[in-house]
Amino acid sequence: MIKVIHNNSCPKSKAILEYLDENDIKFQIIDIRKDPLSLFELRTLFKKLNKNPSRILRHSTELFKKYFSESESVNDEQALEVIALNPELIQCPILIKGKIAMPGNPLENVKFFIEN
């Protein structure tokens, strides 16, 4: 079963859920705003993504600007701590299948992820 880290206010995230539903693909929703991930869960997620936390942050938000300066690089441990307190900073959706995770955008990547 595929797990989808989802933000209900994100149109891309909603579109992926709709695609999965229309194609009868079983999935479990992890609503990142209602059920934020712990620091341990975030570390595990980023290992599965094989990406640094700073690469999955929504850099264009005011919330990002509140915690991070645009001129300095983002420390990954600091990013994890900020994400734990502000889960809406993660770019959603993120799909998880077993030991692998991937950003759920673009849709073509999602199709490939599901089929393989």
Side-chain angles (χ1 to χ4, degrees):
M1 178 182 299
I2 293 174
K3 294 181 181 182
V4 181
I5 295 180
H6 171 69
N7 181 340
N8 201 37
S9 64
C10 174
K12 292 176 185 175
S13 195
K14 289 179 183 178
I16 294 301
L17 294 183
E18 193 173 296
Y19 170 82
L20 295 172
D21 197 40
E22 288 173 356
N23 289 280
D24 295 321
I25 298 166
K26 293 185 181 193
F27 62 94
Q28 174 189 356
I29 297 172
I30 300 170
D31 188 328
I32 197 72
R33 296 178 88 175
K34 290 182 182 176
D35 192 18
L37 302 177
S38 68
L39 277 172
F40 176 79
E41 291 169 319
L42 287 168
R43 285 187 185 99
T44 302
L45 172 64
F46 285 102
K47 283 181 184 174
K48 289 180 179 185
L49 281 166
N50 197 27
K51 292 188 183 279
N52 295 337
S54 59
R55 309 250 317 147
I56 305 293
L57 291 173
R58 296 175 54 225
H59 291 256
S60 62
T61 65
E62 290 300 317
L63 193 54
F64 178 86
K65 293 171 187 170
K66 175 181 173 182
Y67 288 98
F68 305 103
S69 167
E70 290 182 35
S71 61
E72 67 180 281
S73 62
V74 176
N75 172 294
D76 286 336
E77 192 58 34
Q78 179 189 13
L80 286 172
E81 291 172 9
V82 171
I83 292 168
L85 297 173
N86 304 279
E88 62 274 19
L89 272 173
I90 294 179
Q91 291 180 23
C92 287
I94 297 173
L95 283 72
I96 305 168
K97 185 168 63 171
K99 295 182 179 184
I100 302 170
M102 69 163 279
N105 192 24
L107 184 57
E108 292 76 28
N109 289 355
V110 173
K111 292 176 184 178
F112 178 81
F113 183 73
I114 291 166
E115 292 170 3
N116 294 299

